[in-house]
Amino acid sequence: MSNYVLKYSRDERVKYISHLDFIRTFHRAVRRADIPMSFSHGFNPHPIMTVAMPLSVGMTAGGEYMKIGFECDYSEQEIMDKLNESLPIGFKILAIKKVEGKELDFAKLDRAIYNVDVECNDTSLFDAEVFMQNKELKVMKKSKSGIKEADIRPYIYDFNVDLVNGNLINITMCLATGNTYNLKVDSVIEAMVKYTGGFNVEFFATHRTKILAGDEELL
């Protein structure tokens, strides 16, 4: 068995595919590409495949990761070419690296960068600098013990308004993600509304551009 880490993107055409449907789609693409996957042993064998930080339905992404095992040893370029020919339009393999052991360990991924288009009632009401000056940003957040109030301010690492156009604000934000703490864009939007008087968000669209380990991408 040979293990590989794949970096891939998902665009607007496939943003409403659920995580489970994506897994099934990828399995079918691998079969079409004629690259035998490795399976676990035991009573209920399943393909050896791990997706880092599964993407929420409705989001697009430019730098997602998965680790996958293949029965044989293939060149990275061969796998990329075959999978890109077999995957549905909207998915694209961007990079591949053969790995040994815990090389390119997904557990090290601890933050993600998002580009968010926010449609609101009045762009003049929201000031990013004032928002980030809050020492606390408390919102209701779901956890294993239920829904409770949580301060998300320590987990917003960067927050910049890139463009204001009509009733649209384009924001780039770097948020905590991973096993230690996972902050969703939805919670940040909730805080923006809560801590800005008169400000309401009508709609927002999210693109996850990168998942990082510290300040570095795995691939």
PDB file of all heavy atoms in Angstrom, residues 20-32:
ATOM      1  N   LEU A  20     -20.893  13.324   2.658  1.00  0.00           N
ATOM      2  CA  LEU A  20     -21.046  11.903   2.340  1.00  0.00           C
ATOM      3  C   LEU A  20     -21.183  11.670   0.841  1.00  0.00           C
ATOM      4  O   LEU A  20     -20.625  10.709   0.297  1.00  0.00           O
ATOM      5  CB  LEU A  20     -22.253  11.322   3.077  1.00  0.00           C
ATOM      6  CG  LEU A  20     -22.090  11.143   4.593  1.00  0.00           C
ATOM      7  CD1 LEU A  20     -23.379  10.614   5.206  1.00  0.00           C
ATOM      8  CD2 LEU A  20     -20.931  10.208   4.915  1.00  0.00           C
ATOM      9  N   ASP A  21     -21.904  12.566   0.160  1.00  0.00           N
ATOM     10  CA  ASP A  21     -22.044  12.441  -1.290  1.00  0.00           C
ATOM     11  C   ASP A  21     -20.710  12.692  -1.987  1.00  0.00           C
ATOM     12  O   ASP A  21     -20.403  12.079  -3.019  1.00  0.00           O
ATOM     13  CB  ASP A  21     -23.108  13.402  -1.818  1.00  0.00           C
ATOM     14  CG  ASP A  21     -24.513  12.920  -1.536  1.00  0.00           C
ATOM     15  OD1 ASP A  21     -24.678  11.701  -1.334  1.00  0.00           O
ATOM     16  OD2 ASP A  21     -25.443  13.742  -1.490  1.00  0.00           O
ATOM     17  N   PHE A  22     -19.913  13.613  -1.425  1.00  0.00           N
ATOM     18  CA  PHE A  22     -18.583  13.853  -1.985  1.00  0.00           C
ATOM     19  C   PHE A  22     -17.715  12.603  -1.864  1.00  0.00           C
ATOM     20  O   PHE A  22     -17.008  12.230  -2.817  1.00  0.00           O
ATOM     21  CB  PHE A  22     -17.903  15.025  -1.281  1.00  0.00           C
ATOM     22  CG  PHE A  22     -16.418  15.095  -1.528  1.00  0.00           C
ATOM     23  CD1 PHE A  22     -15.936  15.374  -2.791  1.00  0.00           C
ATOM     24  CD2 PHE A  22     -15.512  14.867  -0.503  1.00  0.00           C
ATOM     25  CE1 PHE A  22     -14.559  15.416  -3.031  1.00  0.00           C
ATOM     26  CE2 PHE A  22     -14.153  14.905  -0.729  1.00  0.00           C
ATOM     27  CZ  PHE A  22     -13.674  15.187  -2.003  1.00  0.00           C
ATOM     28  N   ILE A  23     -17.776  11.936  -0.711  1.00  0.00           N
ATOM     29  CA  ILE A  23     -16.998  10.700  -0.516  1.00  0.00           C
ATOM     30  C   ILE A  23     -17.407   9.655  -1.547  1.00  0.00           C
ATOM     31  O   ILE A  23     -16.556   9.014  -2.182  1.00  0.00           O
ATOM     32  CB  ILE A  23     -17.192  10.149   0.906  1.00  0.00           C
ATOM     33  CG1 ILE A  23     -16.647  11.130   1.953  1.00  0.00           C
ATOM     34  CG2 ILE A  23     -16.514   8.789   1.048  1.00  0.00           C
ATOM     35  CD1 ILE A  23     -15.178  11.395   1.855  1.00  0.00           C
ATOM     36  N   ARG A  24     -18.720   9.491  -1.732  1.00  0.00           N
ATOM     37  CA  ARG A  24     -19.194   8.519  -2.730  1.00  0.00           C
ATOM     38  C   ARG A  24     -18.746   8.913  -4.139  1.00  0.00           C
ATOM     39  O   ARG A  24     -18.336   8.055  -4.939  1.00  0.00           O
ATOM     40  CB  ARG A  24     -20.715   8.425  -2.670  1.00  0.00           C
ATOM     41  CG  ARG A  24     -21.267   7.905  -1.342  1.00  0.00           C
ATOM     42  CD  ARG A  24     -22.765   7.711  -1.425  1.00  0.00           C
ATOM     43  NE  ARG A  24     -23.342   7.398  -0.128  1.00  0.00           N
ATOM     44  CZ  ARG A  24     -24.006   8.272   0.626  1.00  0.00           C
ATOM     45  NH1 ARG A  24     -24.211   9.504   0.188  1.00  0.00           N
ATOM     46  NH2 ARG A  24     -24.492   7.914   1.796  1.00  0.00           N
ATOM     47  N   THR A  25     -18.832  10.200  -4.442  1.00  0.00           N
ATOM     48  CA  THR A  25     -18.405  10.701  -5.756  1.00  0.00           C
ATOM     49  C   THR A  25     -16.935  10.411  -5.992  1.00  0.00           C
ATOM     50  O   THR A  25     -16.533   9.985  -7.087  1.00  0.00           O
ATOM     51  CB  THR A  25     -18.662  12.215  -5.852  1.00  0.00           C
ATOM     52  OG1 THR A  25     -20.061  12.468  -5.748  1.00  0.00           O
ATOM     53  CG2 THR A  25     -18.153  12.781  -7.166  1.00  0.00           C
ATOM     54  N   PHE A  26     -16.122  10.634  -4.953  1.00  0.00           N
ATOM     55  CA  PHE A  26     -14.684  10.402  -5.108  1.00  0.00           C
ATOM     56  C   PHE A  26     -14.378   8.920  -5.283  1.00  0.00           C
ATOM     57  O   PHE A  26     -13.528   8.549  -6.112  1.00  0.00           O
ATOM     58  CB  PHE A  26     -13.927  10.967  -3.909  1.00  0.00           C
ATOM     59  CG  PHE A  26     -12.453  11.045  -4.135  1.00  0.00           C
ATOM     60  CD1 PHE A  26     -11.896  12.131  -4.799  1.00  0.00           C
ATOM     61  CD2 PHE A  26     -11.610  10.020  -3.721  1.00  0.00           C
ATOM     62  CE1 PHE A  26     -10.541  12.194  -5.043  1.00  0.00           C
ATOM     63  CE2 PHE A  26     -10.248  10.077  -3.961  1.00  0.00           C
ATOM     64  CZ  PHE A  26      -9.707  11.166  -4.620  1.00  0.00           C
ATOM     65  N   HIS A  27     -15.070   8.067  -4.545  1.00  0.00           N
ATOM     66  CA  HIS A  27     -14.865   6.618  -4.697  1.00  0.00           C
ATOM     67  C   HIS A  27     -15.171   6.182  -6.130  1.00  0.00           C
ATOM     68  O   HIS A  27     -14.423   5.381  -6.717  1.00  0.00           O
ATOM     69  CB  HIS A  27     -15.760   5.848  -3.726  1.00  0.00           C
ATOM     70  CG  HIS A  27     -15.317   5.968  -2.294  1.00  0.00           C
ATOM     71  ND1 HIS A  27     -16.073   5.477  -1.244  1.00  0.00           N
ATOM     72  CD2 HIS A  27     -14.220   6.511  -1.733  1.00  0.00           C
ATOM     73  CE1 HIS A  27     -15.439   5.702  -0.109  1.00  0.00           C
ATOM     74  NE2 HIS A  27     -14.332   6.350  -0.375  1.00  0.00           N
ATOM     75  N   ARG A  28     -16.252   6.697  -6.695  1.00  0.00           N
ATOM     76  CA  ARG A  28     -16.610   6.333  -8.073  1.00  0.00           C
ATOM     77  C   ARG A  28     -15.563   6.840  -9.057  1.00  0.00           C
ATOM     78  O   ARG A  28     -15.224   6.149 -10.028  1.00  0.00           O
ATOM     79  CB  ARG A  28     -17.992   6.900  -8.425  1.00  0.00           C
ATOM     80  CG  ARG A  28     -19.147   6.180  -7.716  1.00  0.00           C
ATOM     81  CD  ARG A  28     -20.480   6.531  -8.352  1.00  0.00           C
ATOM     82  NE  ARG A  28     -20.839   7.922  -8.138  1.00  0.00           N
ATOM     83  CZ  ARG A  28     -21.554   8.362  -7.118  1.00  0.00           C
ATOM     84  NH1 ARG A  28     -21.994   7.502  -6.196  1.00  0.00           N
ATOM     85  NH2 ARG A  28     -21.837   9.638  -6.995  1.00  0.00           N
ATOM     86  N   ALA A  29     -15.036   8.037  -8.809  1.00  0.00           N
ATOM     87  CA  ALA A  29     -14.011   8.597  -9.696  1.00  0.00           C
ATOM     88  C   ALA A  29     -12.748   7.743  -9.662  1.00  0.00           C
ATOM     89  O   ALA A  29     -12.109   7.513 -10.702  1.00  0.00           O
ATOM     90  CB  ALA A  29     -13.691  10.030  -9.287  1.00  0.00           C
ATOM     91  N   VAL A  30     -12.371   7.259  -8.481  1.00  0.00           N
ATOM     92  CA  VAL A  30     -11.185   6.403  -8.354  1.00  0.00           C
ATOM     93  C   VAL A  30     -11.388   5.103  -9.123  1.00  0.00           C
ATOM     94  O   VAL A  30     -10.482   4.617  -9.806  1.00  0.00           O
ATOM     95  CB  VAL A  30     -10.871   6.128  -6.866  1.00  0.00           C
ATOM     96  CG1 VAL A  30      -9.790   5.051  -6.737  1.00  0.00           C
ATOM     97  CG2 VAL A  30     -10.422   7.405  -6.170  1.00  0.00           C
ATOM     98  N   ARG A  31     -12.597   4.529  -9.035  1.00  0.00           N
ATOM     99  CA  ARG A  31     -12.873   3.293  -9.782  1.00  0.00           C
ATOM    100  C   ARG A  31     -12.801   3.554 -11.289  1.00  0.00           C
ATOM    101  O   ARG A  31     -12.261   2.726 -12.038  1.00  0.00           O
ATOM    102  CB  ARG A  31     -14.238   2.730  -9.387  1.00  0.00           C
ATOM    103  CG  ARG A  31     -14.267   2.137  -7.980  1.00  0.00           C
ATOM    104  CD  ARG A  31     -15.488   1.240  -7.799  1.00  0.00           C
ATOM    105  NE  ARG A  31     -16.730   2.005  -7.864  1.00  0.00           N
ATOM    106  CZ  ARG A  31     -17.318   2.560  -6.813  1.00  0.00           C
ATOM    107  NH1 ARG A  31     -16.751   2.471  -5.620  1.00  0.00           N
ATOM    108  NH2 ARG A  31     -18.438   3.224  -6.943  1.00  0.00           N
ATOM    109  N   ARG A  32     -13.348   4.675 -11.728  1.00  0.00           N
ATOM    110  CA  ARG A  32     -13.288   5.002 -13.159  1.00  0.00           C
ATOM    111  C   ARG A  32     -11.845   5.199 -13.608  1.00  0.00           C
ATOM    112  O   ARG A  32     -11.479   4.878 -14.737  1.00  0.00           O
ATOM    113  CB  ARG A  32     -14.105   6.268 -13.459  1.00  0.00           C
ATOM    114  CG  ARG A  32     -15.607   6.052 -13.481  1.00  0.00           C
ATOM    115  CD  ARG A  32     -16.323   7.222 -14.135  1.00  0.00           C
ATOM    116  NE  ARG A  32     -16.148   8.452 -13.366  1.00  0.00           N
ATOM    117  CZ  ARG A  32     -16.949   8.862 -12.403  1.00  0.00           C
ATOM    118  NH1 ARG A  32     -17.983   8.109 -12.043  1.00  0.00           N
ATOM    119  NH2 ARG A  32     -16.735   9.995 -11.770  1.00  0.00           N
TER     120      ARG A  32
END
